[in-house]
Amino acid sequence: GAGVSQSPSNKVTEKGKDVELRCDPISGHTALYWYRQSLGQGLEFLIYFQGNSAPDKSGLPSDRFSAERTGGSVSTLTIQRTQQEDSAVYLCASSQEGATYNEQFFGPGTRLTVL
Amino acid sequence: GQQVMQIPQYQHVQEGEDFTTYCNSSTTLSNIQWYKQRPGGHPVFLIQLVKSGEVKKQKRLTFQFGEAKKNSSLHITATQTTDVGTYFCAGRWGNNRLAFGKGNQVVVIP
């Protein structure tokens, strides 16, 4: 079946603008994660949605970052008043929590460049 | 929050040689997963270990979970150029969310 998809694949924006990044998880997956990865660096956890529970927002770096997940499916990560240090690849992953193998399936990422 | 530490952070490995990468937690894990990210790609799941002392093999890759479920290792034999990439471990404590280590970036020298 279809994997995790993300759009856009690339986004170039000017400092101060708002951006929205979209993630379509695998159908039926209850958990959805957002990560940020700077060039050559590890995965920085941003936010975690699990079913109807309150999201774990502990990784969001500032109040300029927010995310929502509508209907337990599609998620949007919004970055307001973008800064140059926001430039990175934003990865989304989904998993079926509670299953024996609850591995995360990653999307291809959105490469964000803030000029 | 709880985290897993990976060592080393970087490795240069001669083609044909073996190498090991390690993942450590200060507290007992429920399970641990390993992922590989090729250059320019996204992380891809390799394996999950759940049981104390568990050992699993995938061709040239051997994964181990420590007896105390606080550490894990990935050992690759006869390294090939296709082994280049970053290897991440990700740990879970209880029913908490999965937490990734910072990764071990592997460069293969032909």
Side-chain angles (χ1 to χ4, degrees):
Chain A
V4 177
S5 60
Q6 292 185 245
S7 60
S9 54
N10 280 285
K11 177 70 176 180
V12 180
T13 191
E14 293 180 346
K15 178 181 173 181
K17 300 282 189 182
D18 298 352
V19 295
E20 281 190 355
L21 312 180
R22 178 187 168 106
C23 172
D24 284 84
I26 292 173
S27 177
H29 277 189
T30 57
L32 188 148
Y33 296 75
W34 282 98
Y35 298 93
R36 179 169 69 175
Q37 188 172 38
S38 299
L39 188 63
Q41 300 301 307
L43 299 170
E44 179 187 2
F45 165 75
L46 297 177
I47 190 168
Y48 164 51
F49 295 92
Q50 166 54 17
N52 296 321
S53 302
D56 177 354
K57 304 180 182 180
S58 61
L60 295 178
S62 77
D63 58 9
R64 296 187 295 106
F65 288 72
S66 63
E68 62 177 23
R69 188 178 185 192
T70 54
S73 180
V74 172
S75 178
T76 303
L77 176 69
T78 302
I79 308 174
Q80 295 179 311
R81 305 181 301 281
T82 52
Q83 304 294 312
Q84 289 183 331
E85 59 263 29
D86 299 335
S87 297
V89 174
Y90 289 80
L91 291 163
C92 171
S94 71
S95 68
Q96 183 54 51
E97 298 294 304
T100 302
Y101 285 94
N102 50 15
E103 70 263 35
Q104 293 189 13
F105 294 83
F106 283 80
T110 293
R111 182 176 299 278
L112 175 65
T113 303
V114 182
L115 301 177
Chain B
Q2 290 163 313
Q3 57 183 346
V4 286
M5 305 300 293
Q6 288 193 248
I7 50 172
Q9 192 173 356
Y10 302 98
Q11 286 196 72
H12 288 77
V13 184
Q14 195 76 41
E15 189 176 6
E17 293 188 344
D18 303 350
F19 74 91
T20 304
T21 182
Y22 299 89
C23 182
N24 300 305
S25 168
S26 59
T27 54
T28 303
L29 293 155
S30 300
N31 60 58
I32 195 155
Q33 299 178 358
W34 285 90
Y35 292 76
K36 177 183 178 181
Q37 183 177 26
R38 293 179 184 275
H42 57 272
V44 175
F45 174 79
L46 293 177
I47 208 152
Q48 175 173 288
L49 303 171
V50 178
K51 299 176 184 176
S52 169
E54 190 169 14
V55 177
K56 289 188 176 180
K57 293 189 176 184
Q58 292 179 349
K59 298 183 180 178
R60 296 178 296 105
L61 279 61
T62 301
F63 302 85
Q64 291 190 321
F65 203 8
E67 293 290 340
K69 298 182 68 173
K70 290 183 178 179
N71 52 67
S72 180
S73 64
L74 161 58
H75 181 74
I76 298 183
T77 59
T79 302
Q80 300 177 357
T81 55
T82 53
D83 295 326
V84 65
T86 301
Y87 293 84
F88 292 98
C89 67
R92 189 185 299 269
W93 298 261
N95 292 322
N96 295 335
R97 64 167 176 85
L98 205 62
F100 279 80
K102 293 187 181 300
N104 176 199
Q105 205 167 320
V106 175
V107 173
V108 179
I109 304 164

